[in-house]
Amino acid sequence: MLSRCFRRAGRGIGPDMATEPADSRRTAWDALVRAQALVLPQVHRVLRGSHGLSLSEFIVLKCIGATGTATMTELQEQASLSAAGITRVVSGLVAQGMVSRTRGEQDLRLWHAQVTPAGRRRLSAASATLDQELGRLFGGQHNEDELAVAARVLQNLCNAVP
């Protein structure tokens, strides 16, 4: 829906669009919103079609896989999902046999999630598919220096959020 808004408004996204600092910020914001609206659903479709994983499931599986085990609170923060969202996603991954969930040994109120061997295999395959899709999306349009700058800008934007 957001992508249609930007297309209908005829707002181009390009370096020649911004002349003032505020214009540059607005142009960057418009590009970020449009990219998010177009790219995330595409990645979701590719992961769902190829591996039966939603983008949220992939992100949560990747977060758990990176640390070996994670509490629901840690996953909520890392995946930027609500408590209810994490519960729903982890429950789905448990039902698929991708994740196991156990109570904490010292604090029985905490649930810990671990990736199962089947989850590791699916995560590995889905990561390879994601790499291919990112290669297609980024194509030869950007060199490594440009991608590094874009990554730093986006990371700084995330760091600015309290």
Side-chain angles (χ1 to χ4, degrees):
M1 182 168 189
L2 285 173
S3 61
R4 281 186 250 136
C5 171
F6 286 101
R7 282 192 206 129
R8 281 195 196 125
R11 295 175 71 81
I13 307 294
D16 58 330
M17 292 295 298
T19 57
E20 302 282 330
D23 290 342
S24 296
R25 286 189 292 271
R26 181 55 64 96
T27 299
W29 171 254
D30 289 350
L32 174 65
V33 170
R34 185 160 191 263
Q36 180 271 333
L38 294 171
V39 172
L40 294 184
Q42 171 61 23
V43 171
H44 171 85
R45 282 189 295 276
V46 167
L47 291 174
R48 176 68 81 197
S50 298
H51 304 285
L53 290 172
S54 70
L55 180 56
S56 294
E57 289 170 330
F58 173 79
I59 290 168
V60 169
L61 199 57
K62 186 175 180 241
C63 290
I64 300 168
T67 60
T69 185
T71 67
M72 299 304 110
T73 303
E74 291 166 342
L75 288 174
Q76 182 181 344
E77 183 179 306
Q78 292 170 9
S80 299
L81 292 173
S82 66
I86 282 296
T87 299
R88 179 185 51 77
V89 170
V90 170
S91 294
L93 290 169
V94 168
Q96 294 177 60
M98 302 296 114
V99 168
S100 63
R101 192 171 33 192
T102 57
R103 288 236 184 239
E105 292 178 13
Q106 296 178 354
D107 187 344
L108 295 177
R109 295 172 296 174
L110 294 178
W111 283 95
H112 295 266
Q114 300 86 25
V115 179
T116 65
R120 281 188 224 301
R121 287 189 298 276
R122 181 134 10 137
L123 176 60
S124 177
S127 293
T129 298
L130 176 62
D131 288 342
Q132 289 175 343
E133 184 63 12
L134 293 176
R136 188 189 72 72
L137 290 168
F138 284 110
Q141 302 171 34
H142 308 286
N143 64 41
E144 291 301 314
D145 291 338
E146 290 172 323
L147 292 174
V149 168
R152 277 195 308 275
V153 167
L154 293 171
Q155 188 58 53
N156 289 341
L157 181 61
C158 292
N159 293 339
V161 175

